[in-house]
Amino acid sequence: MVVEGRQRFRQRPESVEVAEGEDVLLRCEVQGQEGRAQWTKDGFALGFEREVPGYPRFSYLGEPSLGQHHLLVSGVTTTEAGEYQCQVGPGPISPAIWAAANITVLVPPRKVELTGGGEGERVMVREGGSLSLQCVVRECSPPASLTWLADGVPLTSGLVEEGSVRDGGGDRGWRVESRLEVRVSAEDDGRAYSCQAHHPALTSPLTASLTISVLHAPRPPKISGYRTGQVVVAGEEMRLTCRSSGGNPRPTLTWIRTPTPLNPSTAAASSSTTPLATSSSLRFIVSAEDDGAQYKCRADSDLLEQPMSSTVSLTVYYPPEEVTIRGPNRVREGWPLNLTCITSQSNPPARLMWKVQGEKVAAVRERKIKLNLGGWVTTSVLTWQGVRSRKVTEVTVECRAVNPAVSRTVVKTVTITVSRPPGPPKFETDLTREYQAGSPLDLACTSEGGHPPPSLRLYRGDELLTTEVSQEGRVRRVSVRLELSAADNGMEVFCRVSPDDNSTETLSTSAILQVKFPPWEVTGWVTPARVESGGVVVLTCLASPSRPPAAITWRAPTLALGKASTTQQVGVGGPGTRSEVEVHVEARHNGAKVECEASNGLGPPVSTSLTLFVLHGPVWVVTPPPLVNVSEGSVLLVSAKAIANPGPVRYRWRRGESEVGEGGELRVEGVDRGEGGRYTVTAHTNRGSAMATFMVNVQYGPERVEVKRHVEVEGGARVSLKCTAQGNPTPYVTWTRVPSTQDTTPHVSFSNTVNGRGWSGYIGGGTAVLGRGVGEARLEVEAATRADTGIYECHARNMLATSPPSQLTLVVQQAVRVAESDGGTGGAWGPLGGRGRLECKVKAAPQPTFVWSSVGGLILLNSDKYTIHESKLTDGLVTWVSVLEVTSLVPQDYTRYRCAAHNKLGSDSLMLDLRPPGRPLPPANLTVVNVSGDVVWLSWSARHEGGAPNDYTVRYRQLGDPVYQYVEVSGGLNTRAKLRDVVPGRAYTIGVAARNLHGSSQYVTYTIPASTGVPPGPPTTPRGLAASPAEKEWVGRGGPRGGSVGGGDGAPPPSRLTPLHLALAAAAVLAITLAATACIATRRRRNAAKANVTASPAGTTSLATLGISLSSSPTHPSSAHASPAHASPAHASPAHASPAHASPAHANLAHASHTSPARSSPPTSSLVTAAVQSSEDRPPGGTRCVVSSSPPSSSLSAAVRFPAEPDVCSLGSSVYDNVPLEAHGGVSQGILRPVLLKCSEQREPPQLVQDALSSLPQQQQQSLPSVTQQLSLNSVMEHQNVNSPAHQQNLNSFTQQQDVTLLTQQQDPYPHAQQQNLNSLAQQQDLNSLTHQQNLSTTITFNSKFLVPVKSSSFNSKFPVPPIKSHNLFQSVYL
């Protein structure tokens, strides 16, 4: 009882039912609240706080000051179900109050479970059995109610048990179960049983169902579609249906036909199933075979002990399928015709009717016969007497069958031939004469009369011949062509005639063939078959039959035959011939052949061979030769052969008294010289033996070749060298010298120590024989010179072998001299910062001592900068090499170094230049290694004196063809190329140029003549020197990649740095002018020419000092091979682009002609002038330069035709080409080029060289004094005749006006080493190559202090220009 005081409930909580997971709000409001309010659950206080601690689902809502204390339960579960109280504590004047409410949580079941069968399953139950089903729901609250349904109808019976319990005894809800027992019958098959669960929390009940499948047998099948006694006409379609009700599982219905099975091609069955029955329909076309046939429908089921069936038997009416007439197909005229007509099976029986010649005729009799298998057969017999007229040749007979129940008639018609007998046969061929075997015989036979035409046959004996048959009127003829043989002699031939092939009435005629034939074989035998030597045998020969008889002839080349006896014997086809002869035999007759030949003149003779079998002892057939030569170590093979009868023949081989082998062959492996001597071989059998003797000579090649290994003599001494060798036979000994390109043939003599006679000659490959003998040879040198130094070989050979040559090194002591390969001016290159390597090669004996020094005389020793390697003997004779390595290269290291060597006999030295990297040299040894069809293979050697090549360019063209074809070869080590599409028989010019990052070399060319297509010899020189005739015919069309590579054919593409080019061109002209002025001044001071400059002013280096001869080949080939085309387009002069870019000064200079004054030339010198040929005579695409000498009486003219390329008058190139930019402080790269004065007259402005290369650091360039006075070249260019004194005076004035001395007196800012480097390189590379190419005997020196400053907006550099010291003026100036 709630006692209310002042505080009371305004709203009390109310009990609720809620689904699990929903939120529940229990409302509680207190009016006049005095005490504290809280909620309890099942007596457990939840506390006063609004968020109930420990119970996250509980919370208090509402405004406490207003007395609102609602309880919110979020996501209620079965755990929150229970009694809740809203309690308010006592106040000052009010007691405590409370109000209760219940929360009921509704938990619906999740599923319904069926035991005894799963949800949706089909449960199999036999008819009459029982089914127990159980329905279960779990974890529901409150408990659910269960209902059973059958096919959706609630069941009122069959429920056995139902109840509910707590699921698990906890808060998970209730578990409700219900069980149903059902007794099933066939009607229950397919019935669905369901269990439904109802619950207040569900909007619709949960259901679980299963279906009962009652297993029961089907009902007996029944056939519909035909009734007993029903008549069906053949050809109609029939459908029989078999139906069987019920059955689970469904029965299988099968159709069976008796007595014959169903034909699947004519009968088709189809099945169908309904809920109540199973049906099968059979469709077929009724035929005669169905009459009386039974169709059975059989039902099979696993629930049946045996199948059930239903059967119907058909009655079918059908006509006969055919009618047959039996009887003869011909009848003789006047004879009766008897025929029988028979029908096939029919139902009912058919009726037969006859017609003869279209008229009905009555049958003699007719019968109907019933068959056991059903149906009827009707027969009718006809006899007709109407064949009497001779005009009738055939009779037509018809038999017609009619079935009264079926509207179908079957007719059979036959034609009977009326026959008449033929006449007797006759041979057309004359068979009374003789024929020859192998000839043809046309055999023919005829017969007259007969109808139908008779059967006429030809026979040879019992053989029926295949004949050709023909008919002409009443005469029938057969013929055949026979190839007669011996077997046809005496053969009887027949001709037989009969009315037809099956008739026994035959007429015939016959004849006997007479055939002549030769014998086809002959046989023979020997009696007795074996005979002792000295006995007698009888030879018998029998020839096969022939007509006429054959004659027998005996032939025996090795025997004496007696008189033969001949007899005749009877044989098949003709008589045979037999002949016998006696022979006395000896041992040599064993195996002899005797030929027996038979012939009667009609054909080729036949023969046989008889072999005699004579018993005797061994007789030699093959004996060893008296002397057998064999090489030591090889196989000794000696054969012997003896014959005996009987065999076998056994052999025994002996050397002296020792037995060494058996058999018909003596084989000794690896025979040695100790196995030579006298040998015997014995052949023996049981009837005797025979012996043969021979000698074996073991031969061996040269050995013990003895010669000294090293001989060193003083110059002028006499040398005698001996070489001996042993062998069998005694070897021939010869002396030769190992070929050497730098050594000459020594002055030697030779002697023969065996017979005392000497002779000269050559051995293989053309090597001269210096000494020869048998067993011993001597090589003698009367007075040894250094030319006799070399490697000599002693060769020993005989008929068996040639020993390896024994070498002797002959060294003649000699003073030191520089090796010729260096030419006195060798060198190497090395990159800045890298390593340079110089090799000094000399010839000396004994060993020389090397000293390296700088050009200034400073002796170099091993240090961090320099490394001098120990000298080495390179050729094993007198060539010594010393190597100097310079590390960490700087520009000052690019200079000249002196290598001096000496021994006790003398000394020598040479200057070597160390150069910066440059472009590669032209390849060497260009060779055409193979020409095959339209393919040419090239090979060449790389040259590493200059820059290392990275790749190569190959060009080739036919002579007369202006267009080159190009082939690029990548890789500096790849020195082979394959040229395709070469026309055989045509002359070709081939060129190869090397290329690297610094530029390209000139092309080295090779010419293949048109006559043979094989190269004639070594390659021509690179272009720029005097070329071969094939090379001089030049038409350029541009090189690969659109420009000229390595001296290409056409001009490079125009430069895009035209202002720079113009500045460089102006600098070039200025340098040329100053150089010419210096030459004039120098020439006035000299009165005579010298072959070599022995002294030079300070700061100069003479050619004599360098060992340079102007008539020698340039030491560095790049100076002669290089072409301005190697320059990059960026540094090309204006002439590269177009004639319009040439400067006026350049154009004026191109028309000037200069010669030195006659008064300054000594009497012994020749004035050399270079004049430009007129435009009319100038070859197309190039300039013709004529070099002439004065006076005219001794003039020398040489025409050199150069291609239309940049620097067409250039004959060389400076070694400073292509120095990397980083070596010059970032100054633009320039190229120093030679300029040939007075060779520039041409209609197009000549190509100016780029002579603006700077090899100095930028700071040193800036320290050079600049030239403020602009030199005017127009005054010089306007002079037309420099030969006149007036003009000469003008030049002198010009020189003085320009104050050249101002330049020469400038303080030299270059270090000595660098000046010397530039000076020596320019001398060595440029001037030397020019003088060599022009073959001018001049002497030129350089003044390293003669500097020409060049000032340009884009280029500021100063470079040395040496003056020319020469007998003749204006030959050439190299920049």
Side-chain angles (χ1 to χ4, degrees), residues 1109-1352:
S1109 173
L1110 293 180
S1111 61
S1112 62
S1113 299
T1115 300
H1116 196 297
S1118 66
S1119 62
H1121 299 167
S1123 169
H1126 292 290
S1128 61
H1131 303 111
S1133 63
H1136 279 255
S1138 66
H1141 295 162
S1143 63
H1146 184 202
N1148 293 334
L1149 182 59
H1151 295 84
S1153 175
H1154 305 278
T1155 56
S1156 60
R1159 58 181 177 85
S1160 62
S1161 300
T1164 58
S1165 64
S1166 61
L1167 179 61
V1168 179
T1169 59
V1172 178
Q1173 187 178 357
S1174 65
S1175 60
E1176 291 77 6
D1177 299 333
R1178 183 169 59 246
T1183 301
R1184 187 177 184 89
C1185 298
V1186 180
V1187 181
S1188 61
S1189 62
S1190 178
S1193 59
S1194 59
S1195 63
L1196 173 65
S1197 176
V1200 181
R1201 183 176 179 182
F1202 293 94
E1205 296 182 7
D1207 294 353
V1208 294
C1209 287
S1210 297
L1211 303 182
S1213 174
S1214 170
V1215 297
Y1216 294 106
D1217 289 357
N1218 307 306
V1219 176
L1221 289 176
E1222 54 267 26
H1224 313 296
V1227 181
S1228 300
Q1229 179 181 5
I1231 296 181
L1232 298 176
R1233 291 284 186 243
V1235 176
L1236 180 62
L1237 299 182
K1238 303 182 66 178
C1239 284
S1240 58
E1241 180 175 345
Q1242 51 189 358
R1243 292 179 181 253
E1244 297 179 359
Q1247 171 63 50
L1248 288 183
V1249 296
Q1250 299 185 21
D1251 45 7
L1253 174 64
S1254 172
S1255 59
L1256 300 176
Q1258 184 68 29
Q1259 58 271 22
Q1260 293 187 3
Q1261 298 177 20
Q1262 296 175 357
S1263 65
L1264 295 175
S1266 60
V1267 179
T1268 59
Q1269 182 180 4
Q1270 176 65 40
L1271 297 179
S1272 175
L1273 299 179
N1274 294 333
S1275 60
V1276 177
M1277 302 309 170
E1278 293 173 355
H1279 292 294
Q1280 301 298 323
N1281 187 1
V1282 187
N1283 294 326
S1284 64
H1287 289 164
Q1288 183 63 52
Q1289 182 62 37
N1290 291 338
L1291 289 176
N1292 295 337
S1293 301
F1294 175 78
T1295 304
Q1296 295 174 0
Q1297 293 173 9
Q1298 301 305 322
D1299 194 6
V1300 179
T1301 58
L1302 173 65
L1303 298 175
T1304 58
Q1305 293 175 3
Q1306 295 289 339
Q1307 179 65 33
D1308 184 8
Y1310 295 86
H1312 174 74
Q1314 190 168 11
Q1315 293 181 20
Q1316 181 63 32
N1317 175 36
L1318 298 174
N1319 197 17
S1320 62
L1321 289 177
Q1323 286 179 330
Q1324 184 175 332
Q1325 302 302 326
D1326 298 326
L1327 187 57
N1328 189 23
S1329 62
L1330 174 67
T1331 56
H1332 168 68
Q1333 295 171 28
Q1334 296 297 336
N1335 294 322
L1336 303 178
S1337 296
T1338 60
T1339 302
I1340 303 176
T1341 61
F1342 292 114
N1343 189 333
S1344 61
K1345 294 185 177 182
F1346 189 77
L1347 302 177
V1348 179
V1350 178
K1351 186 174 182 181
S1352 173

Side-chain angles (χ1 to χ4, degrees), residues 46 225 301 318 374 509 521 605 672 712 718 769 857 962 976 1261 1299:
L46 299 181
S301 175
Y318 53 93
T509 183
E521 69 173 352
D672 60 35
E712 183 170 337
R718 187 179 184 276
V769 176
R976 292 176 64 90
Q1261 298 177 20
D1299 194 6

Side-chain angles (χ1 to χ4, degrees), residues 218-222 241-253 271-281 297 299:
R219 301 294 183 265
K222 296 181 180 180
T241 301
C242 178
R243 184 175 186 276
S244 176
S245 302
N248 184 19
R250 296 294 188 181
T252 301
L253 301 180
S271 299
S272 62
T273 302
T274 64
L276 300 179
T278 302
S279 301
S280 177
S281 298
C297 177

Side-chain angles (χ1 to χ4, degrees), residues 151 225 236 258 407 433 1077 1223 1277:
D151 288 339
E236 295 180 352
T258 56
S407 58
R433 69 182 188 88
T1077 305
M1277 302 309 170

